Amino acid sequence: MVPHLTTALTGPLKELESRILRAQPKIEHWFRSQWLKHDAPFYASVDLRNAGFKLAPVDTNLFPGGFNNLNQTFRPLAVQAATVAVEKICPEARGVLLIPENHTRNSFYLQNVAALHSILRQAGLNVRIGSLLPELEAPMQLELPDGQNLLLEPVQRRGNRLHLGDDFNPCTVLLNNDLSGGVPSVLQGVEQALLPPTYAGWATRRKTGHFAAYDGVADEFAQLISIDPWLINPYFSHVGGVDFQERAGEEVLADKVSDLLARIRTKYQEYGIEQQPYVVVKADAGTYGMGVMTVKDPSEVVGLNRKQRNKMSVIKEGMEVHDVIVQEGVHTFETVNEAVAEPVVYMLDHFVIGGFYRVHTGRGADENLNAPGMHFVPLAFEKPCNAPECDEAPDCPPNRFYSYGVVARLALLAAARELETMAEEHGE
């Protein structure tokens, strides 16, 4: 069975989806040419928001942690994509060391590790899980709620290579750890291929850098299919020097919020959109939905109370927030079982391999859904996101999901360009 999906905006066919469907051959040719010029990240997930009048990415994660939430029907797509991705880096690859986050009590995350481990094993690789937990001195067996077991082994370093205890000497190291707290010394100067590279971690990567790259991609794509790039691209701006605890930078932040809301209102007037515009203020680095607030008026970011300041000032690994991205809020008018939902699309190399809906019964169409109380529903497609039904309506499920796959791949291409820029900055 597939989950029942309802979309608030039924009725007239969506012009954006129609244009994407009509241009499918041109779009796929363009993507092929782009992947000849740019190396796709090993994997990524993209959070999308579908407002009916606008379909845009709002976050791109280069260390995705929800492989256990994907539709199992399309596991062969993931296995094939993983094979291609590993062969690009190490054609003779036999051994892969998978390094996860240091979560030993988060069963949902560990099930993600197990799913990723299974995909790589089915791709014909010898995969073992190496932990960076400083207190782990011997292999540790973890039993998961679904009956699976994971063996975590302490990572060892010999010279410039990572090993596991019985001389497991992999040629590739796959990071499923976003390095929010920085790059540990054991990973510095490693000669094995590290996927993604350590500079892709949140200690150095910034969301504003990603969306600056996405600006260029969206403009090129919009010209390709003759649309307004705003229809697939959220406005954003950067604010530095913020200290929420000391209330430093509040006025500058309020000014940026005001400017962005004015730009959004202009677009809403142009397209006859009646919804109230809003922006999302979030930490310029980090994940797990931490350091995020929805703002509809500039006054809301001035004089925050203690609870709000605490929420915004620190993110994962206790990292303090001093830079934020002010991003145009994109409403989500999709629901699953009457609960607000947003699609999350997963990719390995440049292939769409599935996704899921992030669903939250306690949040509204203009709120962050990546918050406690959320749950996940595998994407209800009957065919992969890259297989549209060209003779069907633009908003039928396969075609809607094709549009999701297209916009997600635009974000993936932006990430590829973003990483190229970062590699130059890091002398790699």
Side-chain angles (χ1 to χ4, degrees):
M1 293 180 62
V2 295
H4 178 63
L5 171 68
T6 60
T7 304
L9 294 186
T10 56
L13 298 180
K14 317 300 182 296
E15 179 61 20
L16 175 60
E17 292 175 333
S18 299
R19 283 182 177 270
I20 288 175
L21 188 61
R22 287 197 301 267
Q24 190 245 356
K26 184 188 295 185
I27 289 171
E28 295 305 323
H29 176 267
W30 181 77
F31 270 125
R32 286 193 293 271
S33 68
Q34 292 301 310
W35 297 128
L36 290 174
K37 301 174 188 174
H38 308 284
D39 292 328
F42 182 83
Y43 52 12
S45 65
V46 177
D47 294 359
L48 301 175
R49 302 276 284 202
N50 186 353
F53 57 86
K54 180 171 186 142
L55 174 62
V58 294
D59 211 359
T60 300
N61 187 357
L62 296 181
F63 301 86
F67 282 92
N68 54 310
N69 297 314
L70 301 182
N71 190 329
Q72 290 294 308
T73 305
F74 300 106
R75 175 62 67 85
L77 290 178
V79 172
Q80 184 178 22
T83 302
V84 172
V86 172
E87 285 177 351
K88 283 183 178 180
I89 305 300
C90 185
E92 301 299 322
R94 293 192 183 94
V96 174
L97 176 60
L98 174 58
I99 297 182
E101 298 278 357
N102 292 342
H103 304 318
T104 57
R105 297 182 181 178
N106 185 333
S107 61
F108 295 109
Y109 174 74
L110 293 174
Q111 288 176 74
N112 153 74
V113 176
L116 186 53
H117 182 273
S118 177
I119 289 169
L120 296 170
R121 283 193 63 188
Q122 288 179 278
L125 299 166
N126 181 15
V127 189
R128 287 167 64 175
I129 303 171
S131 175
L132 299 178
L133 280 168
E135 67 271 19
L136 187 67
E137 297 180 353
M140 178 172 62
Q141 190 90 8
L142 297 175
E143 186 173 339
L144 306 185
D146 59 3
Q148 295 185 80
N149 290 287
L150 283 182
L151 181 66
L152 298 184
E153 303 178 70
V155 171
Q156 300 175 5
R157 178 154 173 168
R158 300 174 193 170
N160 289 331
R161 297 187 68 84
L162 300 183
H163 292 250
L164 295 183
D166 59 355
D167 219 24
F168 178 66
N169 185 5
C171 77
T172 303
V173 179
L174 178 59
L175 298 173
N176 199 241
N177 183 315
D178 65 22
L179 307 175
S180 292
V183 181
S185 57
V186 71
L187 295 181
Q188 296 176 13
V190 171
E191 66 182 37
Q192 290 136 308
L194 286 174
L195 306 173
T198 54
Y199 53 77
W202 284 123
T204 48
R205 184 177 178 235
R206 295 294 178 264
K207 294 177 184 180
T208 45
H210 173 72
F211 281 100
Y214 186 78
D215 276 348
V217 171
D219 286 347
E220 292 173 30
F221 182 79
Q223 186 174 3
L224 180 76
I225 67 170
S226 301
I227 62 169
D228 179 350
W230 178 76
L231 297 174
I232 56 171
N233 191 9
Y235 289 145
F236 77 94
S237 60
H238 168 260
V239 181
V242 176
D243 189 325
F244 287 100
Q245 292 293 4
E246 300 297 327
R247 292 196 166 102
E250 284 185 346
E251 296 298 334
V252 175
L253 178 57
D255 289 343
K256 291 283 189 177
V257 168
S258 179
D259 291 345
L260 206 59
L261 285 171
R263 293 178 67 194
I264 300 168
R265 286 192 196 97
T266 300
K267 277 296 182 182
Y268 277 24
Q269 291 170 0
E270 178 183 340
Y271 285 93
I273 297 164
E274 297 180 356
Q275 279 76 29
Q276 182 180 6
Y278 71 100
V279 300
V280 178
V281 178
K282 50 189 174 183
D284 203 15
T287 183
Y288 291 109
M290 301 176 74
V292 179
M293 65 184 299
T294 298
V295 179
K296 297 178 181 177
D297 187 274
S299 63
E300 296 173 25
V301 299
V302 178
L304 299 179
N305 61 38
R306 181 181 296 274
K307 182 179 179 181
Q308 292 170 319
R309 296 201 309 274
N310 289 341
K311 174 186 173 183
M312 293 300 297
S313 62
V314 178
I315 56 172
K316 185 184 171 193
E317 303 287 351
M319 301 298 292
E320 295 184 358
V321 175
H322 296 295
D323 290 83
V324 297
I325 177 173
V326 182
Q327 187 179 62
E328 174 187 350
V330 181
H331 296 82
T332 178
F333 289 136
E334 294 202 89
T335 60
V336 173
N337 296 330
E338 300 183 359
V340 176
E342 65 183 10
V344 183
V345 176
Y346 271 59
M347 290 157 288
L348 271 166
D349 197 79
H350 63 278
F351 303 100
V352 173
I353 61 165
F356 52 81
Y357 276 98
R358 180 182 287 117
V359 184
H360 205 302
T361 57
R363 295 291 176 105
D366 59 358
E367 293 184 280
N368 171 39
L369 304 188
N370 189 2
M374 64 183 169
H375 66 278
F376 307 102
V377 178
L379 275 182
F381 54 42
E382 297 173 357
K383 293 186 178 181
C385 292
N386 56 356
E389 294 286 357
C390 296
D391 296 327
E392 298 293 332
D395 60 350
C396 75
N399 293 339
R400 167 147 298 160
F401 297 129
Y402 174 69
S403 296
Y404 290 168
V406 168
V407 176
R409 283 183 287 164
L410 293 178
L412 184 74
L413 177 57
R417 296 183 182 182
E418 172 195 6
L419 291 180
E420 288 171 0
T421 300
M422 294 183 73
E424 293 177 2
E425 292 171 351
H426 287 79
E428 298 189 19

